[in-house]
């Protein structure tokens, strides 16, 4: 079988760490001497949006086409990427938090949903908010993986209506979410508006499909001789500036979004995917690889930090909860507590990446006769993504989209 060579995009790997750092900053505010309003009104939780857009971009790059025969192996490769570290994060949460007491929502049923990574598909807070809370986005990603082969069919010709359909789905879910207070049956079963527009794969699908569309645009312009270092650097700065302005505007006008669009519209715009256009612009410019920012992001230390960002994401909130309840840790001076927390988080994340993520991925992919590596160079990709375990595609089945 002929195999397709896929080049590395190390700058995008480093962007993973930037996005993960946004989430960590959002969760450490109020602890370790950091004011709870530090950085307001910027919505740091939008780092998850960057992951979702990156995911759509990279999967479209790695898999320009995907036959139905190869789809089960694609799904298995994706599970091999996200599931082992997720289980370690879940077990770590149980081991560290059980002695401290866990909420009543952490039951056998919600635990099973977490193990199977379907808890974000259930719009009930007892499910998507249970156990290791950040893992809801991993469950959301699994939903994207299941839909990706269908989305990819004739994507070059159908991207516009698929992006539009994802937006329509979001609007429908937003309408249902806003109607919850008027529907006693939904309220009685703890159906939550966040479950429709914030954690649901369908509610976040627009961001993923936007990433897929961004990849198409990148493939179209990437070889242009007009894209000099100067112009690409200007484009990078403009994209970053646009993203900062967009995030500030979203966070500073939260009350207006609620008045105009209801709670669901506010939740998606400010806490969910409102920043997606800005992140798509940044990803597009950085992926071109010609600007100064892209070159800086290829610095090896940043690339390694990007590699371990998935594990950072999975363990950081558990470690925060342990730290703020530990009698010894809370006595540390604030100037020491935060560096210690960061060092422990990075060390644990690196250990999980080295001893769990990589070997488990190779083992699981090998069980179905696949390869954990591609010939030649490989792409290292965002939070829940990785190329090494991706199934090589026959050359005839992998035309450029």
């Amino acid at each position: 079988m002929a195999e397709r060579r896929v080049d590395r995009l190390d700058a995008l790997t480093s962007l993973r760490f930037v996005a993960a750092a946004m989430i960590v900053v959002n969760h450490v505010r109020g602890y370790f001497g950091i004011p709870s309003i530090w950085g307001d009104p910027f919505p740091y939780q939008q780092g998850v949006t960057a992951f979702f857009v990156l995911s759509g971009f990279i999967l479209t790059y790695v898999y320009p086409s995907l036959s139905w025969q190869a789809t089960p192996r694609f799904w298995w490769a994706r599970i091999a990427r996200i599931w082992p570290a997720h289980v370690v994060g879940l077990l770590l949460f149980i081991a560290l938090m059980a002695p401290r007491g866990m909420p009543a929502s952490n039951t056998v049923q919600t635990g099973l949903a977490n193990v199977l990574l379907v808890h974000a598909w259930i719009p009930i807070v007892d499910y998507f908010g249970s156990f290791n809370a950040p893992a809801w986005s991993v469950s959301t990603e699994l939903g994207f993986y299941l839909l990706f082969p269908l989305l990819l069919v004739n994507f070059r010709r159908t991207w516009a209506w698929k992006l539009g359909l994802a937006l329509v789905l979001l609007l429908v879910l937003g309408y249902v979410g806003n109607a919850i207070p008027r529907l006693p049956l939904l309220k009685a079963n703890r159906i939550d508006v966040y479950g429709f527009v914030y954690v649901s794969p369908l509610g976040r699908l627009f961001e993923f499909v936007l990433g897929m569309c961004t990849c198409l645009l990148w493939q179209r312009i990437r070889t242009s001789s007009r894209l000099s270092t100067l112009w690409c650097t200007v484009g990078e700065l403009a994209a970053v500036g646009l993203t900062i302005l967009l995030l500030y505007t979203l966070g500073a006008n939260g009350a207006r979004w609620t008045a105009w669009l209801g709670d669901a519209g506010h939740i998606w715009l400010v806490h969910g995917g409102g920043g997606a256009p800005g992140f798509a612009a940044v990803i597009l410019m950085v992926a071109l690889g010609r600007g100064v920012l892209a070159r800086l992001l290829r610095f090896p230390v940043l690339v390694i930090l990007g590699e371990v960002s998935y594990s950072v994401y999975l363990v950081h909130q558990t470690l925060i909860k342990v730290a703020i309840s530990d009698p010894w840790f809370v006595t540390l001076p604030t100037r020491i507590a935060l560096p210690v927390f960061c060092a422990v988080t990075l060390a644990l994340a690196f250990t999980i990446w080295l001893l769990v993520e990589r070997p488990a991925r190779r083992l699981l992919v090998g069980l179905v006769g696949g390869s954990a590596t591609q010939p030649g160079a490989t792409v290292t990709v965002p939070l829940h993504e990785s190329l090494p375990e991706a199934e090589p595609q026959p050359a005839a089945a992998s035309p450029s989209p």
Side-chain angles (χ1 to χ4, degrees):
M1 181 192 305
E3 294 179 331
R4 185 174 65 88
R5 179 187 177 92
V6 184
D7 296 324
R8 291 185 63 93
L9 299 177
D10 281 340
L12 293 187
T13 302
S14 298
L15 278 183
R16 291 168 56 189
F17 181 72
V18 176
M22 290 177 63
I23 305 301
V24 175
V25 168
N26 185 57
H27 288 153
V28 299
R29 292 190 298 174
Y31 308 112
F32 311 121
I34 301 175
S36 59
I37 60 172
W38 187 87
D40 282 350
F42 287 98
Y44 289 99
Q45 60 269 45
Q46 292 252 0
V48 176
T49 302
F51 291 137
F52 289 163
V53 178
L54 269 168
S55 181
F57 181 100
I58 291 297
L59 283 183
T60 305
Y61 172 46
V62 175
Y63 297 93
S65 67
L66 189 63
S67 68
W68 294 117
Q69 293 86 350
T71 294
R73 299 182 75 179
F74 161 80
W75 285 330
W76 180 252
R78 305 267 53 82
I79 291 171
R81 169 62 179 110
I82 63 175
W83 192 73
H86 161 66
V87 171
V88 170
L90 177 62
L91 293 176
L92 179 72
F93 174 88
I94 295 172
L96 294 178
M97 297 308 299
R100 294 170 168 82
M102 293 194 290
S105 61
N106 292 345
T107 64
V108 173
Q109 291 87 346
T110 58
L112 180 60
N114 272 265
V115 171
L116 297 178
L117 275 176
V118 297
H119 54 297
W121 306 0
I122 305 169
I124 300 175
V125 67
D126 284 353
Y127 279 86
F128 64 76
S130 62
F131 290 92
N132 187 23
W136 70 263
S137 68
V138 188
S139 174
T140 303
E141 280 279 356
L142 181 60
F144 297 158
Y145 297 157
L146 295 177
L147 293 170
F148 178 72
L150 182 62
L151 291 168
L152 193 62
V153 175
N154 296 322
F155 190 69
R156 176 179 284 275
R157 295 190 295 273
T158 62
W159 66 268
W161 70 260
K162 287 175 180 174
L163 184 65
L165 179 59
L167 180 59
V168 169
L169 284 172
L170 173 62
L171 294 175
V172 171
L173 291 173
Y175 178 81
V176 175
N178 282 333
I180 289 177
R182 303 190 302 272
L183 301 173
L185 180 62
L186 296 184
K187 290 183 64 177
N189 287 280
R190 301 200 68 187
I191 302 296
D192 190 274
V193 60
Y194 276 88
F196 286 100
V197 297
Y198 187 71
V199 306
S200 166
L202 295 180
R204 306 303 292 264
L205 187 62
F206 176 81
E207 299 147 68
F208 180 78
V209 178
L210 180 62
M212 296 177 67
C213 295
T214 303
C215 183
L216 290 187
L217 178 58
W218 172 75
Q219 290 170 332
R220 182 169 297 179
I221 69 174
R222 64 181 297 200
T223 58
S224 174
S225 59
R226 299 180 182 179
L227 296 174
S228 64
T229 297
L230 175 61
W231 281 113
C232 284
T233 301
V234 171
E236 290 172 343
L237 294 175
V240 172
L242 169 66
T243 304
I244 293 174
L245 177 62
L246 179 59
L247 293 180
Y248 179 86
T249 302
L250 290 172
N253 294 278
R256 294 183 179 180
W257 307 131
T258 301
W260 294 342
L261 303 172
D263 288 339
H266 170 265
I267 289 169
W268 188 84
L269 281 172
V270 179
H271 304 289
F279 291 123
V282 172
I283 291 166
L284 173 66
M285 297 309 304
V286 169
L288 290 171
R290 303 184 191 182
V292 172
L293 178 59
R295 294 178 182 180
L296 292 174
L297 288 172
R298 290 198 291 268
F299 190 68
V301 172
L302 291 178
V303 176
I304 290 296
L305 289 174
E307 293 277 11
V308 304
S309 60
Y310 178 40
S311 292
V312 168
Y313 180 80
L314 287 174
V315 304
H316 78 279
Q317 198 168 56
T318 298
L319 295 181
I320 291 173
K321 293 178 179 180
V322 171
I324 63 177
S325 63
D326 184 270
W328 173 82
F329 194 90
V330 296
T331 62
L332 291 176
T334 55
R335 68 179 183 277
I336 297 176
L338 183 60
V340 169
F341 165 77
C342 292
V344 171
T345 300
L346 287 173
L348 180 59
F350 182 83
T351 301
I352 294 173
W353 171 71
L354 187 65
L355 301 182
V356 177
E357 282 192 58
R358 297 201 303 172
R361 182 172 66 233
R362 295 190 187 99
L363 174 63
L364 291 175
V365 172
L367 292 177
V368 296
S371 171
T373 58
Q374 289 277 28
T378 59
V379 180
T380 305
V381 294
L383 183 62
H384 310 115
E385 301 301 335
S386 182
L387 172 65
E389 80 285 10
E391 282 300 308
Q393 299 292 305
S398 301
S400 297

